[in-house]
Structures are given as C-alpha cells and as structure tokens.
Amino acid sequence: MSETGTEIGAAASATASAAERSAGVVRFDEPSHQDWESAAVAALGGEPLSGLDSTLLDGIVTSPLYTPSEHGTENDPAGLPGSFPFARGAAATSNRAGWEIRQTHDVRRAETPDAVAVDTTAGVNAITVARGWDVELHAAALAAGIAGAAAAGATIHLAAGTTPAHAEAFAAVLDEAGTDLRAASSWLGIDPAARFVTGWIGPSDASNRSEGFAAEVSGAADAAVSMSQRWPATTPLESDGSVFADAGASDAGELGAALAGGLMWLRALSDVADRGDLGVAAASGLVGFTLSGGPDPFVTAAKCRALRVCWTRVLQACGVDLAAEGRQLPLKLHAVTSTAMLARRDPWVNMLRSTAACFGAIIGGADAITVQPFDAAGAVTPDGGPLGLRVAANTQLMLAEESRVGAVIDPGGGSWYLEELTAQMAREAWQRFQSIEAAGGMCDALASGQLYSDVATDRARRDEAITAGQRVLVGVNEFVADDEHVAEAPPQNATSPRWGLHRWAAAYENSSHEHR
C-alpha cells in the first residue's frame, strides 16, 4: 500500500475509534488461545489441561476447547454439503427436506395392525417389519400387519437379516395389496452377516462357514440385481453395523464392519454375470447402510459423517470419480438408536438417551431414523409397548416439527470439535476396516471368529470403563434413585449365538454393584 493509502487508512481508523468512544462503545482485546490456556491452568490450580481431556472407547482423545487456530480445517477442508469428500452430506441439501421417520413392528402380534394405524396417522411415514419372521408361517400376519400402512402411503421395509426368499414373499404381499413395485422404495434388508450375528438360521450351520457365507452372498447379489430390474426404487441389500454395536463393538468397530459389509456387496455385485450396465456407483445404490446412534450426539454425528468419508474412499478405489463437479455420493444411511444403551433400571432415562442419539443422527445427515422405544429393554418383544412406541415416534416429530433441526443444512458444520472428531473417527474406522480386509474380507472375518474377537475386546474395554466409573450411565451407575423399579428382563432368544445383545447396564442390573 502507498504512503498516501496508509495515511488514509489510519485516518479512517482514528475517525472510527473517535466515533465509537463518543457513542460509549467499549472494545476489549481479543484473547488468544494461549491466554485462555493460561487462565484455565490457573483455574485448575496449576494442573495441566490434559486433565480435562476425555478418551473415547476407540482411543480418540477429546479436548475441552476447539479453536480455528488449533483445529481449523484449512489444511483438510470438509468441503460443502453434497461435495467431495461428503462429510457434510451426500447431497447439497443434506436433510433439508426432512428424513424418513421409521417405526419397527413385529407383525406376529395381534395388536400390530392397530399400532401401525396409530403411527401412520400421527406422522410416522415408514414401517419396518422386525427381523425373524418366517416366510411361510407369517406371510399372512405380514399381510395383515402392513395392509393399513401401505394403504396410508407409508413405506414398508424389512429389518436387516432377511434372505431373497423373504424379499420375494414380501413382494408377493405388496403385489396382492395393489402396491406398484416399480414405485415402491422399500429396503429389503438382505444381509447374511446381520442374520448370523443376531442368531437367525444362517451359514453358521455350514461345515465350511466361509464357503457358506460366500455362496449365500453371491446368490443374494444375483437376486438383488434381478429385483432391481422389476423393483427399481428399492434397496435390496444392506450392511447393518448396528448389530455389531449391539454385540459390543465400539463406534469405529461398528463403522469398520459396515464398510467391510458394503465392500462385500460391491465385490459380489461385480461378479453377477447378468448385471447389464450396472457399474460400481449403481451397485452402491443397491446397498443401504445402518448405523447405531448412542447417547453422545457428537459421536453419533461424527460416525454418520465418517461413514460417508470412508465410503467415498472405497468407491474411489473402485474407480468412481466422486471428486468431479456435480457428482453425488451414492449412499443411503439409516440410523437406529442403540439397543445396547437402553437400561432396565430407571428406564425413563432411555428417553433422554434416545433423544440425544436421534439428534446426533439428524445433524450427521441420516436419510432415515428409527428411535427404539424407551421400554424395549424390558418388553417381551423388541418393539416395546404402546407408550414406548408413541414416545419413540414423538421424539422424531418434535425434533422435526418443533425444534426444526432439519431446517438447517448440515447444522453441525463449522463446529471445530465435530470436524476434528469426524476426521479422527474416519481414521480409526479405516484401520478397523483394513483389519477385516486383511483377514480376507467380511465373510472370512466372520467365519474365522476374528471379527467376534475384535468385538469382544471392545466390549471388555467398555465394561471396564463403566465399572471404573469412567463412563457414566445416568440412573445406573451414577445419579441412581434407590427406589427405582428395574423392569423384568425379556426372555432370551434360544437361537442367539455367543454374539448376542450386550447392554451396557446389564452388569449393574443383574448384580449388587455399588454406585456413587
């Protein structure tokens, strides 16, 4: 700048300062990060700031303060919503148009048709049929249970863990109900891994589990391509990470398993002989992902965002140029509030946990969300009672219609903490994904028991943290009301393998642990 320009600038600044003084405006010096750190250390009596750090189950260390100087994204830009690397959303509008509000029901229950009718007239726009229904025995029950929902315009899904036979029976039910399959956008939930982990009949009975898994995956991929030709709006295949989380996996462990499941499907689809013009991007569109949401909304949001970042990397490695302008990420994400975090002791607190999880899924950009009923941990069936179902639906409706969380595109964008947490979560998940791939991929890692071993390690670390009081479960190991009723445990599924459902609070509910 010339001397004349400098003088003019100085004069303007002096004039502005004089005007501010005359108007009584007081300006304070802007504190630096070092200023804050010095003040914080003084407040801690000289103790180091590291004492305020928290360590997540995956070893990710979180700090008490995030600033642009320390955690800015200039060197690792998060991009814009709908732009590479898609941390901020698979589409430019993120969930601005809202998300699909799902509710899960067991169609074998006599009261299900009435419960579904209540849901579909009160804002729920999708019904998921609980996993485990038998193709022949419960086809009639399925038809009765979803007839009203289909008539009300709700989308009908099958929970992860079904087979092509389930999907074909489901198609017959929809066809008989007069539903146009070419317009139906159902998720069919075909996922052998989820079926194995949750204990339903599957390749665990095969003498060679790896070959049994591979054969089942190959047949499912072939069926999915055929279904997509006559059922183009549907999502036939699924990679459900939530079943691993329910078994005890950490957030990064769940993500790694979901990524491995997605790549398993891409490989199988690439081997389908009669797949026409189906490329990798189109194949990705046949796979839906499900992740669990926990009580920390930031962690849940980071997990959703990290899935998109990692899946983008997978597709790029498969030759899809997602960095090209105008490209959108072919990924569909469903989030479900964690079953493992539900407690039978003081179950009312489950409402708060589920609300936080749902909020995290929304700011993480989930396309569809299921909120588990707060009383599901003590109910006879996994879908809870009437009050639990009503509260579950209202949780989403209040966040959508009253809190208006979806009215802002990527509401978490710009949070230095969330951006940093997303990056760290993606790195940890990628390592877990690589570990599964090194074991031969999802089929081999499941068949060999390595994936179970990894999940068991995560589960043990979490249990230790809870026992040591490093992980607080409100109403269970902290802030406990002594007169609180503990709901009766639901009957165990005799077909469940050692994976099972491992609720975080179970040890406290089943023993005389002391609490603070």
Side-chain angles (χ1 to χ4, degrees):
M1 182 181 290
S2 67
E3 292 184 6
T4 302
T6 302
E7 293 172 356
I8 293 174
S13 178
T15 301
S17 298
E20 289 177 351
R21 285 195 298 271
S22 65
V25 175
V26 178
R27 289 193 177 275
F28 297 94
D29 292 335
E30 184 174 345
S32 65
H33 182 82
Q34 183 60 46
D35 293 332
W36 174 84
E37 186 170 326
S38 299
V41 170
L44 292 172
E47 294 294 326
L49 278 177
S50 58
L52 298 178
D53 291 345
S54 297
T55 303
L56 303 180
L57 191 61
D58 290 299
I60 297 173
V61 177
T62 63
S63 302
L65 179 69
Y66 287 77
T67 67
S69 61
E70 299 292 321
H71 307 93
T73 59
E74 291 80 4
N75 297 323
D76 184 21
L80 296 172
S83 298
F84 181 87
F86 302 101
R88 300 188 61 190
T93 56
S94 186
N95 58 5
R96 175 66 177 81
W99 60 92
E100 185 178 72
I101 299 175
R102 296 188 184 182
Q103 192 92 289
T104 301
H105 287 278
D106 186 340
V107 295
R108 294 167 293 184
R109 298 179 66 184
E111 62 269 28
T112 289
D114 291 337
V116 169
V118 170
D119 282 341
T120 53
T121 55
V124 173
N125 51 26
I127 299 297
T128 299
V129 178
R131 65 170 66 93
W133 60 279
D134 182 88
V135 177
E136 296 179 359
L137 294 180
H138 301 299
L142 176 67
I146 69 173
T155 303
I156 312 298
H157 303 293
L158 299 183
T162 59
T163 66
H166 289 100
E168 290 296 345
F170 178 47
V173 170
L174 291 180
D175 188 59
E176 186 174 345
T179 302
D180 182 5
L181 290 184
R182 297 196 63 82
S185 58
S186 300
W187 285 37
L188 304 183
I190 300 175
D191 186 354
R195 192 153 51 87
F196 174 62
V197 172
T198 53
W200 302 110
I201 298 174
S204 58
D205 301 323
S207 58
N208 188 323
R209 287 183 179 177
S210 183
E211 291 182 6
F213 269 118
E216 185 165 347
V217 169
S218 177
D222 187 72
V225 172
S226 175
M227 289 176 192
S228 68
Q229 294 170 351
R230 56 191 176 88
W231 206 344
T234 197
T235 304
L237 306 174
E238 188 159 356
S239 180
D240 187 355
S242 71
V243 296
F244 296 94
D246 287 345
S250 67
D251 293 296
E254 177 188 1
L255 262 179
L259 290 166
L263 183 55
M264 172 193 76
W265 286 126
L266 290 186
R267 289 187 176 122
L269 290 168
S270 70
D271 292 336
V272 175
D274 184 24
R275 63 191 185 105
D277 297 328
L278 186 68
V280 176
S284 178
L286 298 183
V287 182
F289 289 87
T290 293
L291 294 178
S292 67
D296 186 329
F298 284 101
V299 171
T300 298
K303 186 160 59 172
C304 294
R305 293 164 125 246
L307 174 66
R308 291 193 293 270
V309 172
C310 291
W311 191 240
T312 297
R313 187 172 179 180
V314 169
L315 294 182
Q316 278 191 303
C318 294
V320 181
D321 182 15
L322 292 171
E325 186 176 354
R327 289 300 298 268
Q328 289 192 351
L329 177 64
L331 183 150
K332 304 169 186 174
L333 173 58
H334 164 234
V336 56
T337 59
S338 170
T339 305
M341 73 175 177
L342 298 180
R344 288 190 289 113
R345 181 187 294 277
D346 198 358
W348 308 106
V349 181
N350 291 333
M351 296 184 190
L352 303 179
R353 297 185 181 104
S354 295
T355 301
C358 183
F359 177 77
I362 296 169
I363 64 176
D367 302 299
I369 300 175
T370 299
V371 173
Q372 301 274 31
F374 75 91
D375 57 349
V380 176
T381 56
D383 52 340
L387 177 60
L389 288 168
R390 187 72 250 132
V391 171
N394 283 344
T395 298
Q396 296 204 57
L397 292 173
M398 286 189 292
L399 287 171
E401 303 297 337
E402 296 185 26
S403 299
R404 302 290 292 167
V405 181
V408 180
I409 296 175
D410 186 29
S415 163
W416 297 303
Y417 172 47
L418 182 55
E419 303 292 3
E420 177 71 12
L421 186 57
T422 297
Q424 293 189 64
M425 186 71 72
R427 284 192 291 269
E428 294 296 325
W430 192 258
Q431 290 182 6
R432 299 293 289 266
F433 165 61
Q434 287 182 312
S435 175
I436 296 172
E437 287 299 295
M442 174 61 82
C443 294
D444 287 349
L446 275 176
S448 68
Q450 175 179 317
L451 193 47
Y452 173 80
S453 178
D454 292 343
V455 170
T457 299
D458 288 342
R459 185 169 65 240
R461 286 206 310 269
R462 180 185 288 107
D463 289 344
E464 289 173 5
I466 293 174
T467 301
Q470 298 168 352
R471 193 181 183 97
V472 174
L473 300 180
V474 176
V476 178
N477 69 343
E478 188 70 272
F479 309 111
V480 182
D482 293 329
D483 59 346
E484 269 297 342
H485 171 68
V486 178
E488 182 180 353
Q492 294 297 312
N493 183 350
T495 64
S496 285
R498 56 182 181 168
W499 290 78
L501 167 64
H502 294 269
R503 289 186 305 104
W504 305 344
Y508 279 82
E509 295 165 349
N510 299 331
S511 69
S512 57
H513 270 288
E514 291 184 1
H515 55 265
R516 293 179 293 169

